Structure formats: structure tokens, C-alpha cells
């Protein structure tokens, strides 16, 4: 589809309403863009346009070429890239053949760029406030072209406040490793917005954020759009796309397979690939079914008279702070998790979700209260006493790569988890094969290293490792938040199927409430280290009693929500 065939949203507005824009001009125009790496074509004839006051969303799976396409607009495809295009322009200026110095004058000032991985993008040796201040000083606008240091410091604090960073004066003096993932991402967004660029490219800007913070960031981006800034949003979260986008480009294998008005594509797509992406989005409607084929799962395993797989009673945990003070991370949390059921834990960063999970895993000792595993004492045991029962509980992390030894093969990773079961020799070898088959990986993956696997493949290896000792409980800590929607769907289906077959109990932590509702039988809502609501999933989602729960649910973007 050519650019002219798509709706010019800068003129007619999203779904028909008029949007006030600065000058209604075309900011970015791309026509017949091709990108090669080492002779391999990864972007194949892509064309699109972005007007002032318009948001174009580019969606697609990993490897579709969406991020490479966006990087060509900021000169970050790398020295090895070969780029051709009939047109590659920003505000009427050709971007083809620019030198590094010319790119530096555009990047950050006229075209902002926000990446997903803040830990890599932020300088680990510098305070985040200095990082943002440098963006301001490098491209400072105004009659003098300069701003005195204290004025920039004030601007830094204002930017951090704008993106929802609490205690901005304190956070500005911290380094990236001292911040949570969500706070790092907000700092990176603040840096991208520092010079109010006319075009902002945001690559998965809200993936690591909780629902309420995500809503705040989306409001910030929407306000920038309403002021007349252009926005290119790259996201696998189609609900976020529905909140911001005026037009959508769906990419697959380097090509745009569907392009046009956001509402039409998100509610009545014409391409089979787009329909598959939408069908894979977890929600209340998908609960009890497999996302990839719609089959309905059996009922959860009945608990009978057996004790809960996990019983937590009034656990509390505080950590030492500065000046010999202590801060309560978890206060009086209690819940039961039955065999064959899934308990979803939700809440913002700092609510105590991860600390609670670590106490369940026996990795953090509670200051008071108890945790029982399979009806027997767990938190009260010493590390050596717990060692013989470690096979009863496993964990799946958000980023399995960081928990794998990069020198090990997939076979070694899984075999290491099996050795605690006493498996040896041919029995061990056979069990590795069974686990790989169980998670949908062929025997050929045995000799591959984690760095050579895709995100979805690594997560399957992590699930195989978690299943290896036949645990009664698996703690899932954001296991799908970094995955594309179709890969996420397959991983969620895999977990649900394995649970239906084995009766394993799942403790599922996620900031994605659609995922939580799809997966969970019961919900625990945490805030400030306390449980504010606890009950069956449908009751909590459909009849929330606590105001905080209502605020969380109200903040969740939905595909069918029109722009404000």
C-alpha cells in the first residue's frame, strides 16, 4: 500500500475528529526503504509517512524489521548496514548519506529516540540527572543557546516529575543500577523528551512499566502528540498501540503486510497475520482457553483434603536504609496457593511482589510470619535443611539469559537441574529429551547455547529447567513481559497446558493485567508492602472493592479505547 492510500490522520484526526497540529506538515517520509546486513535483506521496500500531531505504530514479531526501520531515521543502523530508498526524509531534508556529525546535530534535538533496554542505554557510571542534563546542554535552544547549570538542574527535575519518577531530586543523583527497571525506563524517556523533539521514536517504551505508570507515560506521549510532535511507536502491546496510534503499519519478515487507520486494523484487520496477532492478546475473554488455537482447558485440579502447595501467614520483611533506618517491604501478607491453581500477584514497582516471591522461594527470610511448602515448614528451616526439598519449588524469571551460564549448552542447563533428582547416564539423557519435547523444542537444541536462541526459545528452556525436578510449585516472575504477543501466547499456552497435565501450582507475577486475568484463578493485589485485595480473579476484576484496585484496572489500556 502506498503512503497516499493510507488515511492522513493529521488532517482528519483519529477516527474522524480534528486534531490541532502545528502547521499540519509532513515530518517523516519513507518510500521504498531497503536495508541489508552482510548481504541479507532485512527491510524490503517499506513505505510510510508521519505528520505533525500523528502517531504511527509499527507492530510485528521479533525479526520483522520494525526496529531496524526506525533506526534508519536516526542513523543508528550501524556501519555494516547498506541502505537504499527512493525517499528517506525528515521535515523535507534527505537523510540519505549524512555524516556522523550531521546525524548528531539531528539526533536528540529534532528526532528523539527511546529504547526499551534502559540499563544498556544509560551510562552505568553517571547519575541519571547528569545523563538528562547532557541532552539539554548538547542541544539547548534559546537566544543564547545555553542554560546555566542550576536552570538545567531544575529542568531535569521537571522532566523526571513529568514521567512519574517519585522523589525526583533524590533519583536524579542516583546511578542506573540503584533504580528499578521501571524507574530506569522513565529516566530514559525523560532524556528522550528533554529537547521536545519534533519527532519522537519510542521503541517498546512501556514494556517494563506497571499499569498506572504506563498510563502516565502514555498520557505524556499523547500530550506531546497533541502539541504537534510526531510519534513513531514500536510495540508488541496492541492495547498500547490502540491508546496512541492514528495509523498502524504491521510488519512481517521485513515487509509491511497491512497499513492504514488504527481503528480499522485493530478491530477489523484484513490480513491473516494481523488477525493472528490480535487473537493472541490475553484478556478476560480468553480465560480458560489456549490463545493459539482456542481449545478450552480442563478445570483446575481439585485440592481435596491435601494442604495448600504454599501457605503464607502474616509474613513481614524490612530492609536497612540510609542513616540506620529500616523500610518495610512486606507487611502482614497471608495467602494460600492450592495445587493445580494459579495465584496472580499484581501491584506497582515497590509494592512488595518480588520480596514476597523470594520469601516463598526461601531466598529471603521473613522477619516474622511463616511460609509452608506442601504442608510442611519451609521459611523456618536453615538453608542446609531446605536443600533436600529444593526440588519442590522452581522459578522462571523475566530474563532467563541472565540466569543461564552463557558457557553451557541447553543440554547442560537442563541436565544441571535434573542432577538434584538423582538422574544419571542414559536416564538423564532421556529425561533431557523428554523435557525439550515437552516445551516444544527439538532434540537439535541440545547443543545450542542460550545466546544463539530467540527470546521465546530461551523462555522455553527456562520452563524446561523449572519442570526438571517435578516441582509442586513454580514461581513465574514476569515470564512473558519481554516477548512478542504471539510468542507470549505460546508460552502462556504451554504453562497452562503443563499445569492442566501435572497439577503444578503457579505463583504468577506480572504487571500486565490482561495476562494475569487470562492465567489466574485467584488474585492478590499489593500496595506499599500490604495486601489490599485478595480473592477469585473474576471477582477482583469485575467487582473490585478497593480504590487502588479500581485505579489499577482503570489504567489498563484496551484495544477498543478511542483517544481522549
Amino acid at each position: 500500500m502506498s503512503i497516499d492510500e493510507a488515511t492522513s490522520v493529521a488532517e482528519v484526526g483519529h477516527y474522524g475528529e480534528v486534531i490541532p497540529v502545528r502547521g499540519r506538515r509532513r515530518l517523516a517520509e519513507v518510500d521504498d526503504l531497503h536495508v541489508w546486513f552482510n548481504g541479507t535483506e532485512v527491510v524490503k521496500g517499506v513505505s510510510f509517512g508521519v505528520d505533525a500531531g500523528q502517531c504511527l505504530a509499527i507492530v510485528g514479531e521479533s525479526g520483522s524489521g520494525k526496529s531496524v526501520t526506525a533506526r534508519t531515521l536516526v542513523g543508528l543502523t550501524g556501519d555494516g548496514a547498506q541502505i537504499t530508498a527512493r525517499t528517506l526524509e525528515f521535515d523535507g531534508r534527505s537523510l540519505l548519506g549524512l555524516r556522523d556529525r550531521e546525524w548528531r546535530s539531528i539526533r536528540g534535538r529534532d528526532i528523539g529516540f527511546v529504547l526499551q533496554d534502559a540499563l544498556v542505554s544509560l551510562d552505568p557510571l553517571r547519575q541519571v540527572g547528569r545523563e538528562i542534563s547532557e541532552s539539554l546542554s548538547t542541544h539547548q535552544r534559546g537566544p543564547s543557546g545555553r542554560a546555566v547549570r542550576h536552570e538545567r538542574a531544575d529542568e531535569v527535575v521537571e522532566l523526571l516529575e513529568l514521567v512519574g519518577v517519585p522523589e525526583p531530586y533524590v533519583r536524579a543523583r542516583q546511578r542506573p543500577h540503584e533504580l528499578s527497571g521501571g524507574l530506569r525506563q522513565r529516566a530514559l524517556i525523560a532524556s528522550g523528551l528533554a529537547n521536545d523533539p519534533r519527532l519522537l521514536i519510542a521503541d517498546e517504551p512501556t514494556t517494563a512499566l506497571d499499569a498506572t505508570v504506563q498510563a502516565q507515560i502514555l498520557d505524556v506521549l499523547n500530550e506531546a502528540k497533541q502539541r504537534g510532535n510526531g510519534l513513531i511507536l514500536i510495540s508488541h502491546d496492541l492495547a498500547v498501540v490502540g491508546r496512541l496510534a492514528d495509523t498502524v503499519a504491521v510488519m512481517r519478515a521485513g515487509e509491511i503486510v497491512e497499513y492504514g487507520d488504527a481503528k480499522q486494523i485493530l478491530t477489523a484487520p484484513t490480513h491473516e497475520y494481523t488477525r493472528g496477532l490480535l487473537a493472541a492478546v490475553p484478556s478476560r475473554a480468553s480465560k480458560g482457553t489456549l490463545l493459539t488455537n482456542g481449545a478450552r482447558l480442563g478445570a483446575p485440579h481439585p485440592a481435596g483434603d491435601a494442604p495448600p502447595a504454599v501457605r503464607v501467614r502474616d509474613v513481614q520483611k524490612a530492609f536497612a536504609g540510609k542513616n540506620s533506618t529500616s523500610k518495610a517491604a512486606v507487611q502482614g501478607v497471608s495467602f494460600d496457593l492450592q495445587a493445580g491453581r494459579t495465584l496472580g500477584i499484581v501491584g506497582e514497582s515497590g509494592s512488595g511482589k518480588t520480596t514476597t516471591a523470594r520469601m516463598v522461594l526461601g531466598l529471603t527470610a521473613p522477619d516474622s510470619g511463616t511460609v509452608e511448602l506442601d504442608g510442611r515448614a519451609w521459611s523456618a528451616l536453615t538453608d542446609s535443611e531446605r536443600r533436600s526439598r529444593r526440588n519442590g519449588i522452581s522459578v522462571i524469571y523475566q530474563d532467563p539469559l541472565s540466569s543461564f551460564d552463557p558457557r553451557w549448552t541447553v543440554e547442560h542447563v537442563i541436565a544441571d537441574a535434573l542432577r538434584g533428582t538423582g538422574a544419571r547416564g542414559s536416564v538423564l539423557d532421556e529425561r533431557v529429551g523428554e523435557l525439550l519435547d515437552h516445551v516444544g523444542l527439538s532434540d537439535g537444541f541440545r547443543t545450542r547455547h542460550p545466546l544463539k536462541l530467540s527470546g521465546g526459545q530461551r523462555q522455553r528452556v527456562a520452563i524446561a529447567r523449572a519442570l526438571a525436578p517435578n516441582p509442586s510449585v513454580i514461581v513465574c516472575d514476569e515470564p512473558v513481559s519481554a516477548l512478542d504477543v504471539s510468542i507470549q501466547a505460546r508460552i502462556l499456552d504451554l504453562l497452562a497446558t503443563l499445569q492442566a497435565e501435572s497439577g503444578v501450582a503457579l505463583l504468577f507475577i506480572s504487571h500486565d493485567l490482561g495476562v494475569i486475568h487470562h492465567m489466574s484463578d485467584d488474585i492478590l493485589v499489593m500496595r506499599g508492602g500490604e495486601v489490599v485485595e485478595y480473592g477469585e480473579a473474576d471477582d477482583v476484576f469485575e467487582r473490585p472493592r478497593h480504590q487502588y484496585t479500581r485505579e489499577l484496572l482503570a489504567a489498563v489500556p484496551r484495544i477498543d479505547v478511542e483517544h481522549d
Side-chain angles (χ1 to χ4, degrees):
M1 180 183 291
S2 69
I3 295 170
D4 293 336
E5 289 179 86
T7 305
S8 178
V9 186
E11 296 181 3
V12 302
H14 185 73
Y15 308 162
E17 75 270 22
V18 175
I19 295 177
V21 298
R22 290 192 307 222
R24 285 184 183 173
R25 67 182 182 278
R26 177 58 54 95
L27 288 178
E29 185 151 353
V30 178
D31 187 19
D32 196 28
L33 172 68
H34 297 258
V35 181
W36 289 265
F37 290 107
N38 298 320
T40 301
E41 189 175 17
V42 296
V43 176
K44 308 170 183 177
V46 164
S47 301
F48 60 84
V50 182
D51 291 346
Q54 178 190 19
C55 174
L56 166 71
I58 305 178
V59 302
E61 295 177 288
S62 296
S64 64
K66 56 187 188 297
S67 291
V68 174
T69 298
R71 283 174 174 268
T72 61
L73 288 167
V74 285
L76 293 176
T77 49
D79 294 336
Q82 294 177 280
I83 301 170
T84 66
R86 275 198 291 266
T87 305
L88 183 65
E89 292 182 348
F90 171 73
D91 204 17
R93 176 186 180 182
S94 176
L95 301 177
L96 291 169
L98 293 186
R99 299 176 181 176
D100 288 344
R101 184 175 62 183
E102 294 171 307
W103 275 120
R104 286 195 296 270
S105 69
I106 295 172
R107 192 186 305 130
R109 184 188 67 181
D110 297 313
I111 306 177
F113 193 40
V114 177
L115 289 166
Q116 175 183 353
D117 193 344
L119 191 59
V120 173
S121 302
L122 295 171
D123 188 333
L125 301 179
R126 284 200 298 180
Q127 297 172 341
V128 295
R130 289 186 179 274
E131 188 103 3
I132 299 169
S133 180
E134 182 180 11
S135 298
L136 291 167
S137 61
T138 301
H139 299 295
Q140 192 68 47
R141 293 180 176 137
S144 68
R146 296 182 179 178
V148 295
R149 183 171 297 179
H150 75 270
E151 290 175 345
R152 288 205 304 270
D154 290 341
E155 287 186 70
V156 167
V157 170
E158 290 173 4
L159 284 163
L160 290 174
E161 287 179 330
L162 180 69
V163 296
V165 173
E167 302 177 299
Y169 287 98
V170 175
R171 302 300 187 183
R173 295 193 294 271
Q174 293 181 314
R175 290 174 173 78
H177 73 273
E178 297 178 284
L179 303 177
S180 69
L183 287 175
R184 286 196 296 266
Q185 190 65 24
R186 280 176 266 181
L188 191 62
I189 293 170
S191 181
L193 293 171
N195 290 286
D196 193 24
R198 285 180 287 167
L199 176 66
L200 179 67
I201 301 173
D203 192 348
E204 300 283 3
T206 63
T207 296
L209 304 180
D210 300 313
T212 52
V213 179
Q214 180 187 69
Q216 185 172 359
I217 296 300
L218 295 181
D219 285 343
V220 169
L221 295 177
N222 191 54
E223 288 167 7
K225 189 180 76 167
Q226 296 300 322
R227 290 195 304 269
N229 302 73
L231 178 64
I232 295 178
L233 174 69
I234 298 171
S235 180
H236 67 258
D237 190 331
L238 297 181
V240 168
V241 168
R243 170 76 182 274
L244 278 179
D246 302 295
T247 56
V248 172
V250 183
M251 290 192 69
R252 184 184 189 187
E255 298 179 293
I256 293 178
V257 298
E258 192 159 3
Y259 178 44
D261 176 71
K263 183 177 182 180
Q264 184 272 317
I265 288 179
L266 294 176
T267 59
T270 59
H271 197 278
E272 182 180 357
Y273 176 69
T274 312
R275 290 196 293 269
L277 289 179
L278 289 166
V281 177
S283 65
R284 175 185 179 277
S286 65
K287 188 177 179 69
T289 65
L290 297 180
L291 291 162
T292 51
N293 62 24
R296 183 162 294 278
L297 294 171
H301 285 243
D305 296 328
V310 176
R311 172 173 285 156
V312 176
R313 287 293 177 270
D314 198 30
V315 294
Q316 303 196 42
K317 185 66 183 180
F319 294 102
K322 294 182 179 180
N323 303 321
S324 300
T325 61
S326 63
K327 182 177 181 181
V330 173
Q331 305 178 65
V333 170
S334 299
F335 61 83
D336 287 343
L337 172 57
Q338 301 288 347
R341 293 180 69 85
T342 299
L343 172 66
I345 303 184
V346 300
E348 296 172 287
S349 295
S351 63
K353 307 187 300 291
T354 298
T355 301
T356 299
R358 287 182 62 84
M359 287 190 285
V360 170
L361 286 163
L363 301 177
T364 296
D367 296 331
S368 62
T370 61
V371 178
E372 295 179 2
L373 182 65
D374 294 325
R376 298 162 60 193
W378 179 245
S379 60
L381 303 180
T382 65
D383 286 341
S384 60
E385 290 171 330
R386 270 195 294 268
R387 193 170 296 124
S388 64
R389 295 177 56 201
R390 275 282 171 204
N391 290 344
I393 187 165
S394 295
V395 60
I396 303 168
Y397 293 107
Q398 175 181 357
D399 181 13
L401 189 59
S402 63
S403 64
F404 292 155
D405 187 325
R407 300 167 298 179
W408 289 2
T409 62
V410 167
E411 181 175 40
H412 196 164
V413 168
I414 299 174
D416 184 65
L418 282 167
R419 289 191 178 95
T421 66
R424 296 290 186 273
S426 61
V427 174
L428 179 67
D429 184 71
E430 183 179 349
R431 182 66 176 139
V432 169
E434 290 174 354
L435 286 164
L436 284 172
D437 182 65
H438 219 33
V439 298
L441 295 176
S442 69
D443 212 53
F445 279 87
R446 284 177 181 262
T447 58
R448 296 175 66 176
H449 288 80
L451 282 171
K452 300 295 185 181
L453 304 179
S454 69
Q457 289 167 345
R458 284 197 292 263
Q459 203 61 287
R460 287 175 183 268
V461 174
I463 294 171
R465 179 178 64 177
L467 290 170
N470 292 316
S472 59
V473 180
I474 299 178
V475 175
C476 306
D477 192 355
E478 297 281 6
V480 295
S481 63
L483 302 178
D484 296 320
V485 62
S486 55
I487 300 170
Q488 171 184 270
R490 290 194 285 271
I491 295 300
L492 293 177
D493 283 354
L494 175 60
L495 287 170
T497 301
L498 293 172
Q499 183 181 52
E501 292 172 352
S502 67
V504 66
L506 300 179
L507 185 66
F508 204 102
I509 299 172
S510 178
H511 67 264
D512 188 326
L513 297 186
V515 168
I516 286 289
H517 201 176
H518 171 79
M519 289 293 296
S520 302
D521 302 296
D522 304 289
I523 302 289
L524 190 80
V525 183
M526 295 188 67
R527 185 185 191 188
E530 299 181 304
V531 176
V532 298
E533 192 150 356
Y534 174 39
E536 291 192 358
D538 288 343
D539 285 340
V540 172
F541 274 90
E542 296 173 16
R543 293 172 289 277
R545 298 185 299 276
H546 197 278
Q547 178 61 26
Y548 176 69
T549 310
R550 291 194 285 269
E551 291 171 1
L552 273 182
L553 295 175
V556 178
R558 293 174 175 80
I559 290 177
D560 58 353
V561 174
E562 296 192 6
H563 297 182
D564 297 333

